Amino acid sequence: MNDFVIADPGKCIGCRTCEVACVMAHQKDQSLEKLTVENFSPRLRVVKTAKVTTPIQCHQCEDAPCAKACAAQAIVQQDRSVQVIQGRCIGCKACLMACPYGAMDLVLTAAPAQGESKVVALKCDLCRKQDGGPSCIKVCPTKALYEVCGSKMVEQMHNRRKRAALGVMSSR
């Protein structure tokens, strides 16, 4: 089972610190001077409405609709998560349309071979290439974000079933 990050909207204050941490964690040269409005592309987005404020990010679906929709096989299950291989992405937007959570984004990036720009898919990658797990979780001042480990969730479900079975046995 895939790992994923979940948000508690009751704790989120809409500060967008998670978005900034995400961008900084994925910025190649890590300098603030190079950060512009044009290249500020977080892999999660804080959504604010009259009733709720919460980050929206990839749910790391087991049967990922975005991966099924991708004609270029640029979206794959890897390392207990759903990952975008941007080098394969053709920018067709099928993943964007398929994602039920609106967690996919498109960004303009430099194509290394041609020296031109191209549009590619972007989504939460659980900071798999960074040490210490997702950057958004580390910086959230209200601890509204936390990671759920898929293998631990399976273990918890097993234990709940066991407790339920024992409860049935003790009521007889």
Side-chain angles (χ1 to χ4, degrees):
M1 189 171 285
N2 287 341
D3 300 344
F4 58 97
V5 173
I6 194 163
D8 180 348
K11 291 181 178 179
C12 181
I13 58 173
C15 65
R16 298 182 67 203
T17 304
C18 55
E19 288 183 0
V20 174
C22 180
V23 169
M24 293 307 295
H26 294 91
Q27 192 167 326
K28 287 180 178 52
D29 87 6
Q30 298 290 315
S31 73
L32 287 174
E33 293 79 34
K34 303 264 175 143
L35 192 59
T36 65
V37 172
E38 293 78 33
N39 69 9
F40 185 83
S41 299
R43 295 163 186 240
L44 75 162
R45 298 287 179 161
V46 174
V47 174
K48 298 179 185 184
T49 71
K51 295 183 180 185
V52 69
T53 300
T54 191
I56 301 296
Q57 67 264 34
C58 179
H59 287 222
Q60 307 297 335
C61 303
E62 299 300 321
D63 196 22
C66 59
K68 285 182 173 182
C70 183
Q73 285 88 41
I75 302 173
V76 298
Q77 294 276 352
Q78 178 181 318
D79 195 20
R80 298 180 330 275
S81 62
V82 178
Q83 299 289 322
V84 176
I85 302 170
Q86 289 184 330
R88 290 185 191 168
C89 182
I90 59 174
C92 70
K93 304 169 191 73
C95 59
L96 194 76
M97 300 302 291
C99 178
Y101 303 103
M104 295 298 295
D105 213 348
L106 295 173
V107 295
L108 193 61
T109 186
Q114 297 90 1
E116 301 172 0
S117 295
K118 74 175 201 168
V119 174
V120 295
L122 186 74
K123 63 172 261 341
C124 174
D125 63 358
L126 296 175
C127 293
R128 288 294 197 227
K129 293 181 181 167
Q130 279 84 45
D131 291 333
S135 297
C136 57
I137 294 172
K138 290 187 263 185
V139 301
C140 181
T142 62
K143 306 295 182 217
L145 293 164
Y146 56 95
E147 186 172 10
V148 176
C149 178
S151 59
K152 287 183 182 175
M153 194 164 89
V154 169
E155 183 181 326
Q156 287 173 342
M157 288 186 314
H158 175 73
N159 290 337
R160 285 182 191 153
R161 290 177 185 142
K162 194 185 244 183
R163 283 194 307 272
L166 291 172
V168 169
M169 288 301 294
S170 65
S171 66
R172 290 183 176 197

